[in-house]
Amino acid sequence: MAIRGEFSSRIGFVLAAAGSAVGLGNIWGFPTKVATNGGAAFVLVYLLLAFVLAYPVLMAELIIGRSSRSNMVDALGNISGNFIGRATGIWGCITVSLILAFYAIVGGWMLVYFADSAVNMVGLQSASDWLLTSSVTRNVIFCFIFMALTAFIVVGGVKSGIEKWSVRLMPTLVLLILALIVYVSLQPGASDGWSAYLVPDFTRILDPDLLIDAMGQAFFSMSLGVGTMLVYGSYLSKKENLPTIGASVALVDIGVAVIAGMLIIPAMYVALHNGVEIFTPEGALIQGDSLIFKVLPALFDTIGGVGVFVAFTFFALMAIAAVTSSISMLEVPVAYMVESRGLVRKKAVVLMAAIIFVLSCIIILNFNALFGFVIALTTEYSQPLLGLALCIFAGWVWRRDAILAELKEGDANAEQGLFWKIWPWYVRFVCPVIIALMFYRSVF
């Protein structure tokens, strides 16, 4: 076990796993979905689906990972006993590498705006103009910086890299969000945002679009389907109670998404009060990159001298959210290269980071054709199908006695527990059906 590394504490694992799950999507996707889907009614549906859909799949990854003590390729290969499992694992490694390829571009943009707020503090207008002018050179440079930062953390391994930085970055992320919530809530217009976020419209609660959005957010917000939780689970101590620690990860991830909504939605309505347009021509709230790179910077410009400091804090938290997710994504192919291909960790990290950076550069050079295509290919098609495959491996291929034996490692009475009475048949029958329906609805 010393060779593979292991998380030294429960809190280290929970923060690392939650950091993997807490990405940019939680901060720029979840809040606007709430505000446009019935406010708190969406939050209630999301909370329900997070535990009836995402948590069981999360547990499948954690159980497979800790039992196998190996990377995604070897873990699924051992379960299946044939090439199908290994092929699925390689598929997962390729998918997560492609996700990181476009994610590194977006992470670089976060660093651009963070740097812009820093140079504005000292009045370097020419530097600010260069940073805010989109160009291939700028995008490549900051994508490289983002990947180098990610690789620097992953080179340290589990305890000295991933865990060490997760226990620093995740509390910082939460503190920055809470500080900004306090500031934004005191601004004119914030009360309208709080109403849009917290007042439930229960007439929307059975709306098919709301249900699909909530299912998608619950599943994808926990970083499921691409092996990140499986690999993190493989570094987890045998003494830990898996259902309990999985619930802790889910609660932290959900909690960060909810408090991110407490920041973003009131901030958007403060922007509206200050004359910034926050609605699309169709009447929906602006979301995604337009929200982060247009609406909120425009808000920061309207709040006077303090705006540059608020911008600095906001883009610091966005950069942290991006890095905590990117380190888990890079670890998936790195673990495979170290354990299956025999590379030392430093060489594996440099090799995989370089390959992914090259993929990022190809996307940057062919941005209009490839950026949206790669996002759709990975997150809309490949990721849900991988989640479905993991449910099949855990529910139909892997032997029940092996699963129970792994659960008993951390809880001798696991067989009598509520989790064991529900989860095996649930992940076998219910989760695959829900994921398949979600996939069909989102694609067709």
Side-chain angles (χ1 to χ4, degrees):
M1 287 312 305
I3 296 175
R4 290 200 77 248
E6 186 176 287
F7 287 102
S8 64
S9 65
R10 170 176 288 200
I11 188 65
F13 171 80
V14 169
L15 290 177
S20 170
V22 174
L24 300 176
N26 291 66
I27 298 176
W28 79 21
F30 176 77
T32 45
K33 285 182 180 178
V34 172
T36 56
N37 283 286
F42 179 92
V43 177
L44 293 175
V45 175
Y46 166 75
L47 292 175
L48 175 65
L49 292 177
F51 278 95
V52 302
L53 173 61
Y55 174 69
V57 182
L58 169 65
M59 287 307 304
E61 291 205 33
L62 293 181
I63 295 169
I64 291 171
R66 196 179 73 169
S67 175
S68 67
R69 283 298 202 230
S70 60
N71 60 84
M72 188 178 188
V73 178
D74 291 339
L76 297 182
N78 292 337
I79 287 177
S80 67
N82 55 42
F83 78 93
I84 296 176
R86 295 187 65 82
T88 304
I90 291 172
W91 172 22
C93 288
I94 293 172
T95 298
V96 78
S97 298
L98 288 172
I99 291 174
L100 184 51
F102 77 74
Y103 201 85
I105 298 170
V106 181
W109 294 341
M110 297 303 166
L111 295 179
V112 165
Y113 278 80
F114 176 70
D116 175 64
S117 59
V119 299
N120 278 327
M121 286 182 180
V122 293
L124 297 177
Q125 187 59 46
S126 60
S128 175
D129 292 341
W130 180 82
L131 286 167
L132 295 184
T133 302
S134 181
S135 67
V136 169
T137 302
R138 185 205 70 173
N139 290 341
V140 168
I141 289 172
F142 279 90
C143 178
F144 176 81
I145 294 171
F146 183 83
M147 281 304 303
L149 182 61
T150 300
F152 169 76
I153 295 173
V154 176
V155 162
V158 180
K159 184 176 179 180
S160 301
I162 296 170
E163 181 176 3
K164 174 184 175 181
W165 284 97
S166 294
V167 297
R168 296 175 178 180
L169 293 174
M170 280 301 293
T172 304
L173 173 77
V174 173
L175 288 174
L176 290 177
I177 293 176
L178 293 176
L180 287 172
I181 287 173
V182 172
Y183 175 80
V184 168
S185 296
L186 297 175
Q187 304 306 304
S191 59
D192 293 333
W194 278 100
S195 296
Y197 186 64
L198 294 178
V199 176
D201 178 5
F202 287 117
T203 62
R204 299 284 310 281
I205 205 160
L206 295 180
D207 185 329
D209 289 334
L210 181 151
L211 295 172
I212 292 297
D213 277 348
M215 280 194 289
Q217 187 67 33
F219 187 79
F220 297 121
S221 72
M222 287 194 197
S223 190
L224 300 176
V226 292
T228 54
M229 292 302 174
L230 188 155
V231 172
Y232 274 15
S234 75
Y235 301 133
L236 186 58
S237 169
K238 289 283 188 178
K239 296 181 293 184
E240 296 292 351
N241 183 308
L242 283 176
T244 300
I245 204 166
S248 299
V249 172
L251 285 171
V252 173
D253 175 61
I254 292 167
V256 172
V258 170
I259 65 169
M262 296 177 183
L263 166 63
I264 299 298
I265 299 305
M268 292 182 75
Y269 278 84
V270 171
L272 180 66
H273 181 272
N274 291 353
V276 179
E277 183 55 60
I278 67 170
F279 294 99
T280 66
E282 294 76 28
L285 278 174
I286 293 173
Q287 59 180 309
D289 57 347
S290 296
L291 164 64
I292 300 301
F293 300 125
K294 293 180 181 178
V295 172
L296 293 182
L299 165 63
F300 303 145
D301 288 341
T302 66
I303 54 180
V306 75
V308 67
F309 298 100
V310 176
F312 181 85
T313 306
F314 176 76
F315 285 109
L317 83 85
M318 293 300 289
I320 290 171
V323 169
T324 55
S325 293
S326 66
I327 58 178
S328 69
M329 287 188 263
L330 183 57
E331 181 64 20
V332 174
V334 164
Y336 169 66
M337 298 302 290
V338 171
E339 295 167 10
S340 290
R341 297 301 172 187
L343 271 67
V344 297
R345 171 167 280 270
K346 186 174 182 179
K347 288 184 178 179
V349 172
V350 171
L351 175 63
M352 291 310 308
I355 290 172
I356 292 168
F357 174 65
V358 170
L359 292 172
S360 297
C361 290
I362 293 171
I363 295 172
I364 290 170
L365 292 170
N366 302 274
F367 190 84
N368 291 334
L370 290 182
F371 187 71
F373 171 76
V374 173
I375 291 175
L377 178 68
T378 53
T379 63
E380 295 179 20
Y381 293 89
S382 188
Q383 195 172 0
L385 292 176
L386 278 165
L388 179 62
L390 284 167
C391 288
I392 292 171
F393 277 106
W396 294 93
V397 180
W398 203 14
R399 300 194 324 273
R400 282 172 59 94
D401 58 339
I403 299 173
L404 181 58
E406 184 56 39
L407 290 171
K408 284 185 173 181
E409 291 279 357
D411 179 11
N413 298 315
E415 194 170 5
Q416 283 76 47
L418 182 63
F419 179 82
W420 181 248
K421 293 177 181 177
I422 296 175
W423 181 82
W425 66 264
Y426 196 90
V427 80
R428 173 179 281 201
F429 297 107
V430 179
C431 284
V433 172
I434 294 177
I435 294 171
L437 288 174
M438 182 180 71
F439 176 76
Y440 178 84
R441 177 66 173 78
S442 64
V443 173
F444 300 105

